[in-house]
């Protein structure tokens, strides 16, 4: 379809390739004229909307609603009609704890371990991610030569697949890896980083920041560039100090943009899975087991799989995400108004 | 901040460096190493032989110890530069090593065995790119299969996404009908329902449709992207309605209006969506991992993660396959980065 674009420059191979497509399109036209005649413009609107809504209904809306029913059933059967109704048992099981501060006292101790891990991960990752992206964006917003090159440097990992990201870092952190080589040349002992509970947790935080930082830097940079330049000129005229300019002009004006970024980072941090699954597989032990992996393993990967329990856990995660998304919508609306007032 | 600071602390005329200048350069130069370094290291490592990969400390470039075939010995022997007792130097081949003593022979005169302390020998090394890391996966693993599966999923899903999303966007931007706002809200609400929340029931639906262990089971759930509808609709809203009215006056059917007027005019937005979609589908991991359990159906991402999770990881193959997996995305990055960055800055969506 996009072959249509270069087609404008004259007759080319892509034009030739488009011949069957054009034929097909005009072939479709006759029955559609009939539809249009019979059902009117409204009918055509439905026709155009239908494919998207059908796919969307079957693969997004339907599972969304079925999920609630799923979380009320037990057993290992796959299809909903074959499953036995258990009411809120799955939720009760998830929340069955002697002491809520100690995951080991719970029936589903791995769930609470995953919740705890995800909590720590979110706090650390979001803070550091915002910090790094903000500093990078501030630096990229200066008068730099070759700014688009520097921007590209930080953006590059964003496009890499999570599996590739995981493998790149697994290769660096392994025993004979680059990190140990670097430390070795400074006289340190090599260390198997991913076998160490603390270090592998730190690695998942660091690697996810490395992979996604460029994306948020880009959004913050767009926000920085929207701040009127005359404010800085006025500050310069008054001889205001750099730190004061940042705290009194940059930060307040960037705040709406920054809040949206914070929520975006939060939403994605809660769902972390791919890179971590490849990098550590949740280990060692359960030290990097996060919520999505818990849901995946409970629902699909373990011997005693329990789809009902996985569904219940996924709904709890969904509630958190909905709250965060509504927060984002609430935060982004006032910023739009500000933007239009300019 | 930039202009003001830059003006105040310009380095011309001996004004010296302000601390922000130093931070900037440290940050940027460090950024190049930290962002590119790991990927470059991976590419470099992918050309090393298994023996070179196991070495510690590793070398930057792929070196191998030179070998020589010596008469009366079956296997090729490693060559060493040896300093002999009388101080002369020679190139000898190692037969076996016992403790700190290495038994060596001269490849030219294989008759006599020379005993050498291992402190007095250094391996003869030469640079060699292990191209077999790249060629062998094609025969050892079903690498071609995975590659084909990934390409098939990416191309098909992107084409369907473009058609389906653009049709929906056309309806939502150019027609007045009841429930339009509701449909738009419904689509946008999907942003709140990520895969990790619905994967269990989605799996049962895909299975019920007979799409388990089927590439279409990977493709279909991904194609009705809310982001795509949103980007295209925003773009189509800027196309003047007069064009459509004029076309209707000329007896064009609605389908012709969509196909011959709206789509060509939406080309820039379609291009952005196509780039995004290719990257998304190429990189998809969790959903293919769930739907595809038969080896011959794996996409590259699933295949890579499965093989790298094995007990004895064959890193020389994994690294090479990772590099191949990176290629399309790096090409997109090199040539189309501008589209993506403006796309992200414009919509804030990824």
């Amino acid at each position: 379809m996009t072959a249509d674009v270069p087609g404008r420059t004259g007759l080319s191979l892509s034009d030739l390739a488009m011949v069957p497509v054009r034929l097909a399109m005009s072939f479709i036209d006759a029955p559609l004229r009939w539809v249009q005649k019979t059902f009117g413009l409204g009918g055509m609107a439905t026709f155009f909307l239908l494919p998207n809504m059908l796919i969307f209904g079957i693969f997004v809306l339907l599972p969304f609603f079925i999920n609630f029913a799923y979380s009320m059933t037990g057993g290992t059967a796959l299809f909903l009609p074959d499953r036995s109704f258990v009411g809120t048992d799955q939720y009760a099981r998830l929340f069955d704890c002697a002491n809520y501060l100690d995951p080991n006292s719970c029936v589903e101790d791995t769930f609470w371990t995953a919740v705890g891990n995800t909590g720590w991960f979110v706090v650390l990752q979001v803070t550091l991610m915002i910090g790094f992206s903000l500093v990078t964006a501030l630096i990229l917003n200066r008068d730099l030569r070759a700014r688009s090159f520097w921007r590209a440097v930080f953006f590059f990992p964003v496009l890499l697949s999570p599996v590739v990201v995981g493998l790149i870092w697994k290769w660096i952190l392994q025993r004979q890896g680059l990190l140990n080589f670097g430390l070795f040349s400074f006289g340190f002992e090599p260390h198997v980083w991913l076998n160490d509970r603390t270090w592998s947790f730190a690695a998942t935080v660091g690697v996810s920041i490395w992979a996604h930082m460029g994306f948020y830097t880009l959004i913050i940079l767009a926000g920085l560039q929207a701040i009127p330049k005359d404010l800085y000129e006025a500050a310069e005229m008054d001889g205001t100090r750099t730190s004061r300019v940042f705290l009194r002009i940059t930060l307040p004006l960037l705040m709406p943009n920054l809040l949206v970024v914070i929520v975006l980072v939060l939403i994605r941090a809660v769902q972390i899975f791919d890179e971590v699954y490849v990098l550590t597989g949740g280990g060692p032990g359960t030290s990097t087991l996060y919520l999505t992996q818990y849901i995946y393993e409970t629902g699909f990967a373990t011997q005693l799989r329990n789809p009902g329990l996985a569904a219940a856990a996924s709904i709890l995660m969904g509630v958190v995400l909905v709250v965060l998304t509504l927060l984002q919508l609430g935060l982004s609306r006032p910023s739009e108004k500000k933007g239009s007032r300019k | 901040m930039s202009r003001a600071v830059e003006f105040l602390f310009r380095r011309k005329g001996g004004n010296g460096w302000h601390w922000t200048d130093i931070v900037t350069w440290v940050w940027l130069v460090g950024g190049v190493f930290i962002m590119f370094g790991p990927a470059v290291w991976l590419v470099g490592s992918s050309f090393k032989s298994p023996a070179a990969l196991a070495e510690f400390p590793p070398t930057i470039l792929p070196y191998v110890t030179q070998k020589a075939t010596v008469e009366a010995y079956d296997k090729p022997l490693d060559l060493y530069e040896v300093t002999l007792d009388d101080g002369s130097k020679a190139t000898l081949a190692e037969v076996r090593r016992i403790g700190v003593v290495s038994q060596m022979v001269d490849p030219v005169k294989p008759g006599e065995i020379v005993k050498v302390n291992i402190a007095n020998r250094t391996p003869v090394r030469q640079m060699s790119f292990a191209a077999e890391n790249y060629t062998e996966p094609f025969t050892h693993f079903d690498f071609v299969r995975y590659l084909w599966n990934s390409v098939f999923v990416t191309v098909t899903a992107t084409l369907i996404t473009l058609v389906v999303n653009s049709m929906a966007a056309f309806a939502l931007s150019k027609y007045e009908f009841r429930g339009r706002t509701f449909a738009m809200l419904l689509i946008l609400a999907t942003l709140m329902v990520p895969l990790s929340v619905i994967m269990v029931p989605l799996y049962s639906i895909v299975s019920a449709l007979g799409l388990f262990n089927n590439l279409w089971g990977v493709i279909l759930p991904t194609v009705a992207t809310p982001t795509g509808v949103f980007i295209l609709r925003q773009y189509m809203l800027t196309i003047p309605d007069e064009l459509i009215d004029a076309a209707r006056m000329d007896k064009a059917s609605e389908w012709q209006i969509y196909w011959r007027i709206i789509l060509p005019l939406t080309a820039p937005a379609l291009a952005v969506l196509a780039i995004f979609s290719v990257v998304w589908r190429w990189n998809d991991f969790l959903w293919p991992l769930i739907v595809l359990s038969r080896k011959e159906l794996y996409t590259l991402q699933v295949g890579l993660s499965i093989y790298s999770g094995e007990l004895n990881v064959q890193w020389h193959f994994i690294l090479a396959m990772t590099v191949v997996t990176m290629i399309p995305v790096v090409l997109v990055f090199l040539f189309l980065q501008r589209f993506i960055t403006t796309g992200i800055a414009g919509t804030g969506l990824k």
Side-chain angles (χ1 to χ4, degrees), chain B residues 8-22:
Chain B
L8 279 173
F9 302 102
R10 199 164 282 177
R11 288 176 300 286
K12 270 182 196 156
N15 265 343
W17 283 54
H18 186 247
W19 65 269
T20 51
D21 298 321
I22 298 166

PDB file of all heavy atoms in Angstrom, chain B residues 8-22:
ATOM      1  N   LEU B   8      26.662  33.162  28.101  1.00  0.00           N
ATOM      2  CA  LEU B   8      27.411  33.632  29.272  1.00  0.00           C
ATOM      3  C   LEU B   8      28.770  32.975  29.379  1.00  0.00           C
ATOM      4  O   LEU B   8      29.723  33.578  29.836  1.00  0.00           O
ATOM      5  CB  LEU B   8      26.612  33.338  30.546  1.00  0.00           C
ATOM      6  CG  LEU B   8      25.510  34.326  30.875  1.00  0.00           C
ATOM      7  CD1 LEU B   8      24.710  33.808  32.048  1.00  0.00           C
ATOM      8  CD2 LEU B   8      26.093  35.684  31.179  1.00  0.00           C
ATOM      9  N   PHE B   9      28.830  31.699  28.984  1.00  0.00           N
ATOM     10  CA  PHE B   9      30.071  30.962  29.250  1.00  0.00           C
ATOM     11  C   PHE B   9      30.731  30.483  27.969  1.00  0.00           C
ATOM     12  O   PHE B   9      31.287  29.415  27.914  1.00  0.00           O
ATOM     13  CB  PHE B   9      29.778  29.790  30.191  1.00  0.00           C
ATOM     14  CG  PHE B   9      29.185  30.256  31.473  1.00  0.00           C
ATOM     15  CD1 PHE B   9      27.823  30.135  31.697  1.00  0.00           C
ATOM     16  CD2 PHE B   9      29.970  30.848  32.446  1.00  0.00           C
ATOM     17  CE1 PHE B   9      27.272  30.593  32.872  1.00  0.00           C
ATOM     18  CE2 PHE B   9      29.410  31.298  33.613  1.00  0.00           C
ATOM     19  CZ  PHE B   9      28.063  31.171  33.846  1.00  0.00           C
ATOM     20  N   ARG B  10      30.627  31.299  26.973  1.00  0.00           N
ATOM     21  CA  ARG B  10      31.266  30.940  25.709  1.00  0.00           C
ATOM     22  C   ARG B  10      32.761  30.798  25.952  1.00  0.00           C
ATOM     23  O   ARG B  10      33.368  31.542  26.702  1.00  0.00           O
ATOM     24  CB  ARG B  10      30.989  32.043  24.687  1.00  0.00           C
ATOM     25  CG  ARG B  10      31.207  31.579  23.287  1.00  0.00           C
ATOM     26  CD  ARG B  10      30.561  32.527  22.327  1.00  0.00           C
ATOM     27  NE  ARG B  10      29.123  32.322  22.266  1.00  0.00           N
ATOM     28  CZ  ARG B  10      28.327  33.090  21.522  1.00  0.00           C
ATOM     29  NH1 ARG B  10      28.816  34.111  20.854  1.00  0.00           N
ATOM     30  NH2 ARG B  10      27.041  32.847  21.480  1.00  0.00           N
ATOM     31  N   ARG B  11      33.321  29.786  25.324  1.00  0.00           N
ATOM     32  CA  ARG B  11      34.727  29.507  25.597  1.00  0.00           C
ATOM     33  C   ARG B  11      35.674  30.361  24.756  1.00  0.00           C
ATOM     34  O   ARG B  11      36.867  30.292  24.896  1.00  0.00           O
ATOM     35  CB  ARG B  11      35.014  28.030  25.384  1.00  0.00           C
ATOM     36  CG  ARG B  11      34.422  27.170  26.472  1.00  0.00           C
ATOM     37  CD  ARG B  11      34.625  25.723  26.208  1.00  0.00           C
ATOM     38  NE  ARG B  11      34.014  25.296  24.958  1.00  0.00           N
ATOM     39  CZ  ARG B  11      32.699  25.139  24.796  1.00  0.00           C
ATOM     40  NH1 ARG B  11      31.877  25.387  25.785  1.00  0.00           N
ATOM     41  NH2 ARG B  11      32.227  24.747  23.642  1.00  0.00           N
ATOM     42  N   LYS B  12      35.116  31.162  23.863  1.00  0.00           N
ATOM     43  CA  LYS B  12      35.987  32.035  23.069  1.00  0.00           C
ATOM     44  C   LYS B  12      36.567  33.128  23.957  1.00  0.00           C
ATOM     45  O   LYS B  12      35.970  33.502  24.952  1.00  0.00           O
ATOM     46  CB  LYS B  12      35.189  32.664  21.932  1.00  0.00           C
ATOM     47  CG  LYS B  12      35.211  31.821  20.677  1.00  0.00           C
ATOM     48  CD  LYS B  12      34.454  32.520  19.561  1.00  0.00           C
ATOM     49  CE  LYS B  12      34.138  31.541  18.462  1.00  0.00           C
ATOM     50  NZ  LYS B  12      32.994  31.990  17.686  1.00  0.00           N
ATOM     51  N   GLY B  13      37.714  33.647  23.576  1.00  0.00           N
ATOM     52  CA  GLY B  13      38.293  34.770  24.301  1.00  0.00           C
ATOM     53  C   GLY B  13      38.744  34.398  25.694  1.00  0.00           C
ATOM     54  O   GLY B  13      38.754  35.225  26.590  1.00  0.00           O
ATOM     55  N   GLY B  14      39.112  33.122  25.902  1.00  0.00           N
ATOM     56  CA  GLY B  14      39.686  32.704  27.176  1.00  0.00           C
ATOM     57  C   GLY B  14      38.722  32.778  28.332  1.00  0.00           C
ATOM     58  O   GLY B  14      39.118  32.983  29.480  1.00  0.00           O
ATOM     59  N   ASN B  15      37.416  32.582  28.059  1.00  0.00           N
ATOM     60  CA  ASN B  15      36.450  32.625  29.143  1.00  0.00           C
ATOM     61  C   ASN B  15      36.470  31.386  30.020  1.00  0.00           C
ATOM     62  O   ASN B  15      35.848  31.349  31.066  1.00  0.00           O
ATOM     63  CB  ASN B  15      35.044  32.816  28.586  1.00  0.00           C
ATOM     64  CG  ASN B  15      34.669  34.288  28.593  1.00  0.00           C
ATOM     65  OD1 ASN B  15      35.319  35.074  29.276  1.00  0.00           O
ATOM     66  ND2 ASN B  15      33.667  34.664  27.827  1.00  0.00           N
ATOM     67  N   GLY B  16      37.140  30.344  29.539  1.00  0.00           N
ATOM     68  CA  GLY B  16      37.222  29.126  30.345  1.00  0.00           C
ATOM     69  C   GLY B  16      35.965  28.292  30.240  1.00  0.00           C
ATOM     70  O   GLY B  16      34.969  28.699  29.643  1.00  0.00           O
ATOM     71  N   TRP B  17      36.052  27.115  30.820  1.00  0.00           N
ATOM     72  CA  TRP B  17      34.921  26.180  30.737  1.00  0.00           C
ATOM     73  C   TRP B  17      34.036  26.312  31.949  1.00  0.00           C
ATOM     74  O   TRP B  17      34.503  26.278  33.081  1.00  0.00           O
ATOM     75  CB  TRP B  17      35.443  24.736  30.662  1.00  0.00           C
ATOM     76  CG  TRP B  17      35.946  24.392  29.297  1.00  0.00           C
ATOM     77  CD1 TRP B  17      36.883  25.088  28.585  1.00  0.00           C
ATOM     78  CD2 TRP B  17      35.560  23.284  28.506  1.00  0.00           C
ATOM     79  NE1 TRP B  17      37.090  24.487  27.384  1.00  0.00           N
ATOM     80  CE2 TRP B  17      36.289  23.373  27.311  1.00  0.00           C
ATOM     81  CE3 TRP B  17      34.662  22.235  28.685  1.00  0.00           C
ATOM     82  CZ2 TRP B  17      36.145  22.439  26.300  1.00  0.00           C
ATOM     83  CZ3 TRP B  17      34.539  21.312  27.682  1.00  0.00           C
ATOM     84  CH2 TRP B  17      35.255  21.419  26.497  1.00  0.00           C
ATOM     85  N   HIS B  18      32.753  26.423  31.710  1.00  0.00           N
ATOM     86  CA  HIS B  18      31.803  26.385  32.810  1.00  0.00           C
ATOM     87  C   HIS B  18      31.573  24.927  33.175  1.00  0.00           C
ATOM     88  O   HIS B  18      31.748  24.041  32.329  1.00  0.00           O
ATOM     89  CB  HIS B  18      30.496  27.039  32.354  1.00  0.00           C
ATOM     90  CG  HIS B  18      29.494  27.193  33.451  1.00  0.00           C
ATOM     91  ND1 HIS B  18      28.320  26.510  33.472  1.00  0.00           N
ATOM     92  CD2 HIS B  18      29.524  27.952  34.571  1.00  0.00           C
ATOM     93  CE1 HIS B  18      27.647  26.850  34.560  1.00  0.00           C
ATOM     94  NE2 HIS B  18      28.351  27.720  35.241  1.00  0.00           N
ATOM     95  N   TRP B  19      31.150  24.635  34.408  1.00  0.00           N
ATOM     96  CA  TRP B  19      30.981  23.226  34.788  1.00  0.00           C
ATOM     97  C   TRP B  19      29.957  22.512  33.923  1.00  0.00           C
ATOM     98  O   TRP B  19      30.066  21.331  33.654  1.00  0.00           O
ATOM     99  CB  TRP B  19      30.654  23.078  36.276  1.00  0.00           C
ATOM    100  CG  TRP B  19      29.324  23.661  36.698  1.00  0.00           C
ATOM    101  CD1 TRP B  19      29.100  24.915  37.144  1.00  0.00           C
ATOM    102  CD2 TRP B  19      28.055  23.006  36.689  1.00  0.00           C
ATOM    103  NE1 TRP B  19      27.779  25.102  37.425  1.00  0.00           N
ATOM    104  CE2 TRP B  19      27.100  23.939  37.162  1.00  0.00           C
ATOM    105  CE3 TRP B  19      27.611  21.718  36.346  1.00  0.00           C
ATOM    106  CZ2 TRP B  19      25.749  23.641  37.280  1.00  0.00           C
ATOM    107  CZ3 TRP B  19      26.261  21.426  36.467  1.00  0.00           C
ATOM    108  CH2 TRP B  19      25.353  22.380  36.937  1.00  0.00           C
ATOM    109  N   THR B  20      28.953  23.270  33.417  1.00  0.00           N
ATOM    110  CA  THR B  20      27.946  22.612  32.589  1.00  0.00           C
ATOM    111  C   THR B  20      28.539  22.127  31.269  1.00  0.00           C
ATOM    112  O   THR B  20      28.104  21.121  30.720  1.00  0.00           O
ATOM    113  CB  THR B  20      26.776  23.565  32.294  1.00  0.00           C
ATOM    114  OG1 THR B  20      27.326  24.785  31.801  1.00  0.00           O
ATOM    115  CG2 THR B  20      25.936  23.823  33.507  1.00  0.00           C
ATOM    116  N   ASP B  21      29.561  22.843  30.773  1.00  0.00           N
ATOM    117  CA  ASP B  21      30.217  22.387  29.543  1.00  0.00           C
ATOM    118  C   ASP B  21      30.915  21.068  29.777  1.00  0.00           C
ATOM    119  O   ASP B  21      30.859  20.161  28.953  1.00  0.00           O
ATOM    120  CB  ASP B  21      31.238  23.419  29.072  1.00  0.00           C
ATOM    121  CG  ASP B  21      30.574  24.732  28.748  1.00  0.00           C
ATOM    122  OD1 ASP B  21      29.467  24.698  28.191  1.00  0.00           O
ATOM    123  OD2 ASP B  21      31.159  25.784  29.067  1.00  0.00           O
ATOM    124  N   ILE B  22      31.578  20.983  30.925  1.00  0.00           N
ATOM    125  CA  ILE B  22      32.314  19.749  31.237  1.00  0.00           C
ATOM    126  C   ILE B  22      31.335  18.587  31.374  1.00  0.00           C
ATOM    127  O   ILE B  22      31.521  17.526  30.790  1.00  0.00           O
ATOM    128  CB  ILE B  22      33.152  19.940  32.522  1.00  0.00           C
ATOM    129  CG1 ILE B  22      34.181  21.047  32.276  1.00  0.00           C
ATOM    130  CG2 ILE B  22      33.828  18.643  32.926  1.00  0.00           C
ATOM    131  CD1 ILE B  22      34.825  21.571  33.511  1.00  0.00           C
TER     132      ILE B  22
END
